[in-house]
């Protein structure tokens, strides 16, 4: 029998013989079924009351329960025949840190609401201190309930996936021909709690350092004497592969940086052009975030080995946009290939797409040149006050945030010189938050592979203002941190592979809006 996973903040109904399943921490699921109409469904809400100013959402019980009833009535159910089962609300602090005591509030809200609606509760399993998995068989309305024990709790989160493990203290090696840069990076890393185990002035010294100290990750300069960094990287990946962050001056050629990513480098960063305290402070936040991202590759490889062979299939969201006006795409580490697949599948009449990607921004012109022959849309870099029009994809330039504003019912992109946000510049959060403030219901927010929280809060803002959200499937991401956190927050409408994004865009544009 087909099994569909219901995401946090979503709901699903069916008359077909399927199983609907979800994982609950402090969240609550209300299962409703009509034995005469032979249909059933469940929701998964995180909190009770819709905040003022937000658009109605299944994240909140006061919306999720009426929405579930409405969807069942569309399938022929009668409210007077509905019966309810209630699950979840454990005293569990999940990844989303919803808060202590929220589980009980969610439980009380479910029972109070159902009583007011005159819907009898025929089964319940609520409270406790463990997460639980529930599955309803729509054919017979039977619900299988299973607690997730402490060992499993440490492995699974409410996205239905293996929990992302925290990164332990990272051992770093520095390879750079500049003594000033080596000293600067060493101070930055040490200040932020990273363990610098070795430094090297050229690839030959680097080889000895790697063998002796075995760092988790290295920073590698592109321009060095004796052997340039890209050539050394190619040799390294053949004989002693490990996570690498490439480093370059602002004047370096983008082709070299792009080639480094193709060879297996995880991230890329510019050396500072000046060494005043403000610049160093910004560099520290960004550099440390990128090094941690690279070091997490080993953790993710371990996670990959634990994955089940069974692919998670999600219950389809009912949301769409009539007259989609704008698409915002965020992401950073590991997103370049998925982004290319997405852009190559877009139609020439696609609404304007604007991309904030800190990994690619440093060599975005080279990236554009590499992929432009195989796309139907026009590609360009945002300049100040760029008018956003259909059939175009706009990229944020290096070391600039971008925001979107409206003028005379048209969208314009503008550059902003602000500090990094979540260690990223450009930041997906900055882009998406600006769209949330100027467009309600006509935009699509997309979050791709990335390390850290950047893009998660921006996606939440877009969802709260009535826009639709899409994330790259965490099981298919090189770095699933951002997408998985967004799923856990209950702010995601669609979970797809990057190769399916373009089809999903068309589906969203064509779907009837409830």
């Amino acid at each position: 029998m087909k099994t569909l996973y219901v995401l946090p903040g979503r709901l699903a109904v069916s008359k077909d013989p399927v199983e609907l399943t979800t994982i609950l921490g402090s969240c609550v699921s209300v299962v409703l079924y009509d034995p005469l109409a032979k249909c059933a469904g469940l929701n998964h809400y995180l909190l009770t009351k819709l905040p003022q100013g937000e658009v109605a959402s299944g994240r909140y019980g006061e919306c999720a329960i009426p929405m579930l009833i409405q969807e069942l009535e569309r399938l022929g159910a009668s409210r007077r025949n509905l019966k309810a089962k209630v699950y979840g609300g454990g005293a569990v602090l999940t990844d989303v840190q919803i808060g202590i005591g929220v589980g009980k509030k969610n439980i009380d809200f479910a029972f109070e609401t159902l009583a007011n609606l005159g819907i009898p509760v025929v089964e319940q399993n609520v409270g406790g201190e463990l997460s639980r998995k529930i599955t309803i068989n729509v054919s017979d309305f039977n619900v299988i309930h299973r607690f997730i024990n402490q060992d499993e709790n440490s492995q699974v989160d409410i996205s239905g996936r293996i929990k992302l493990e925290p990164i332990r203290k990272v051992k770093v090696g520095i390879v750079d021909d500049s003594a000033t840069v080596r000293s600067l990076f060493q101070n930055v890393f040490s200040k932020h709690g990273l363990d610098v185990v070795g430094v090297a002035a050229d690839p030959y010294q680097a080889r000895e350092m790697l063998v002796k100290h075995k760092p988790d990750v290295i920073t590698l300069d592109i321009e060095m004497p004796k052997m340039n960094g890209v050539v050394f990287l190619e040799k390294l990946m053949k004989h002693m592969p490990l996570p690498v962050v490439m480093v370059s001056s602002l004047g370096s050629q983008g082709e070299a940086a792009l080639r480094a990513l193709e060879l297996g480098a995880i991230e890329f960063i510019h050396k500072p052009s000046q060494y005043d305290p403000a610049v160093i402070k910004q560099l520290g936040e960004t550099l440390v975030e990128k090094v941690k991202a690279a070091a997490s590759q080993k953790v993710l490889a371990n996670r990959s080995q634990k994955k089940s062979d069974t692919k998670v299939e999600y219950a389809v969201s009912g949301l769409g946009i009539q007259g989609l006006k704008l698409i915002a795409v965020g992401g950073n580490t590991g997103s370049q290939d998925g982004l290319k697949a997405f852009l190559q599948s877009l139609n020439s009449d696609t609404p304007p797409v604007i991309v904030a990607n800190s990994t690619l921004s440093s060599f975005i012109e080279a990236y554009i040149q590499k992929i432009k022959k195989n796309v139907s849309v026009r590609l360009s870099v945002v300049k100040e006050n760029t008018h956003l029009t259909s059939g175009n994809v706009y990229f944020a330039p290096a070391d600039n945030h971008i925001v979107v504003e409206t003028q005379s019912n048209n969208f314009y992109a503008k550059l902003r010189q602000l500090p990094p946000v979540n260690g990223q510049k450009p930041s997906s959060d900055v882009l998406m938050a600006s769209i949330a403030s100027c467009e309600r219901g006509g935009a699509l927010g997309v979050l791709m592979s990335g390390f850290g929280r950047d893009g998660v809060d921006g996606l939440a803002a877009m969802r709260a203002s009535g826009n639709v959200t899409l994330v790259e499937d965490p099981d298919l991401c090189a770095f699933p941190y951002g997408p998985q956190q967004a799923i856990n927050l209950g702010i995601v409408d669609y979970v797809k592979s990057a190769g399916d994004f373009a089809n999903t865009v068309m589906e969203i544009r064509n779907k009837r809006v409830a």
Side-chain angles (χ1 to χ4, degrees), residues 133-183:
K133 181 176 183 179
I134 65 166
T135 303
I136 178 172
N137 185 326
V138 176
S139 298
D140 59 13
F141 315 121
N142 182 47
V143 175
I144 299 173
H145 172 282
R146 181 175 70 84
F147 283 113
I148 298 174
N149 62 40
Q150 293 292 353
D151 289 340
E152 290 176 294
N153 265 343
S154 66
Q155 297 296 323
V156 179
D157 67 19
I158 59 175
S159 70
R161 290 183 165 77
I162 295 170
K163 188 177 295 184
L164 294 169
E165 303 171 22
I167 300 173
R168 57 181 172 75
K169 189 168 185 178
V170 178
K171 296 188 296 182
V172 186
I174 301 168
V175 184
D176 200 294
D177 64 319
S178 167
T180 301
V181 171
R182 293 197 301 271
S183 176

Side-chain angles (χ1 to χ4, degrees), residues 406-428:
T406 54
Q407 300 173 16
S408 303
N409 296 319
N410 292 310
F411 292 110
Y412 288 83
K414 301 189 176 185
L415 305 179
R416 292 289 183 267
Q417 275 299 328
L418 300 169
V421 174
N422 294 314
Q424 309 298 327
K425 187 178 181 181
S427 162
S428 306

Side-chain angles (χ1 to χ4, degrees), residues 38-85:
K38 297 182 179 179
C39 58
L42 66 82
N43 56 28
H44 180 152
Y45 66 86
L46 291 80
L47 299 164
T48 57
K49 297 292 186 179
L50 177 71
Q52 186 174 1
E54 281 199 26
V55 172
S57 164
R59 295 187 74 220
Y60 306 101
E62 71 170 330
C63 305
I65 296 174
M67 285 176 171
L68 182 59
I69 294 171
Q70 183 180 30
E71 290 301 310
L72 286 169
E73 288 176 336
R74 286 181 177 174
L75 294 182
S78 170
R79 186 172 302 194
R80 65 176 178 270
N81 295 329
L82 289 176
K83 301 182 186 302
K85 301 182 180 184

Side-chain angles (χ1 to χ4, degrees), residues 228-477:
N228 76 51
V230 176
V231 173
F232 178 63
L233 176 68
E234 187 168 11
K235 295 179 181 295
L236 186 67
M237 290 304 175
K238 287 180 180 178
H239 304 292
M240 197 185 301
L242 83 164
V244 176
V245 174
M246 300 302 294
V247 180
S248 175
S249 63
L250 282 170
S252 67
Q253 292 187 344
E255 290 82 0
L258 194 57
R259 175 60 179 158
L261 287 183
E262 292 171 348
L263 289 171
I266 304 299
E267 265 286 7
F268 180 90
I269 192 167
H270 281 311
K271 294 180 185 179
S273 57
Q274 51 183 317
Y275 295 95
D276 66 66
V279 172
I280 300 306
K281 182 178 179 181
Q282 288 191 18
L283 171 72
E285 181 181 354
T286 302
L287 179 59
V288 169
E289 190 77 1
K290 289 179 182 286
V291 167
K292 285 183 176 179
S296 72
Q297 187 184 48
K298 290 184 178 180
V299 174
L300 295 173
N302 182 51
R303 161 195 164 110
S304 181
Q305 293 173 2
K306 298 177 183 177
K307 285 180 186 175
S308 168
D309 291 334
T310 303
K311 178 176 171 53
V312 177
E313 185 173 357
Y314 293 99
V316 176
S317 169
L319 293 174
I321 296 175
Q322 289 177 337
L324 178 62
K325 302 174 186 176
L326 183 66
I327 301 170
V329 181
N332 50 73
T333 311
S335 61
Q336 61 271 11
D337 292 338
L339 181 59
K340 179 173 72 173
F342 175 33
L343 299 183
Q344 288 177 342
S345 301
L346 287 175
N347 294 331
S348 59
D349 66 343
T350 299
V353 179
I354 186 161
V355 181
N357 189 303
S358 60
T359 300
L360 295 175
S361 64
S362 296
F363 46 91
I364 194 60
E365 293 286 3
Y367 183 78
I368 288 173
Q369 290 300 316
K370 185 174 181 64
I371 69 172
K372 71 177 185 179
K373 294 180 181 179
N374 298 313
V375 301
S376 299
V377 289
R378 295 177 294 276
L379 311 178
S380 62
V381 179
V382 170
K383 296 179 173 58
E384 180 58 28
N385 211 37
T386 297
H387 182 204
L388 307 180
T389 59
S390 294
N392 286 278
V393 176
Y394 304 91
F395 294 89
D399 298 315
N400 283 271
H401 292 299
I402 46 174
V403 298
V404 173
E405 298 179 357
T406 54
Q407 300 173 16
S408 303
N409 296 319
N410 292 310
F411 292 110
Y412 288 83
K414 301 189 176 185
L415 305 179
R416 292 289 183 267
Q417 275 299 328
L418 300 169
V421 174
N422 294 314
Q424 309 298 327
K425 187 178 181 181
S427 162
S428 306
D429 272 341
V430 172
L431 169 63
M432 292 182 179
S434 71
I435 293 173
S437 68
C438 69
E439 177 56 43
R440 297 177 69 86
L444 169 65
V446 180
L447 187 58
M448 304 188 70
S449 172
F451 180 80
R453 281 194 61 85
D454 190 50
V456 176
D457 292 338
L459 205 70
M462 289 191 67
R463 188 67 191 84
S465 61
N467 298 297
V468 175
T469 57
L470 162 67
V471 300
E472 188 173 0
D473 189 331
D475 280 347
L476 304 176
C477 277

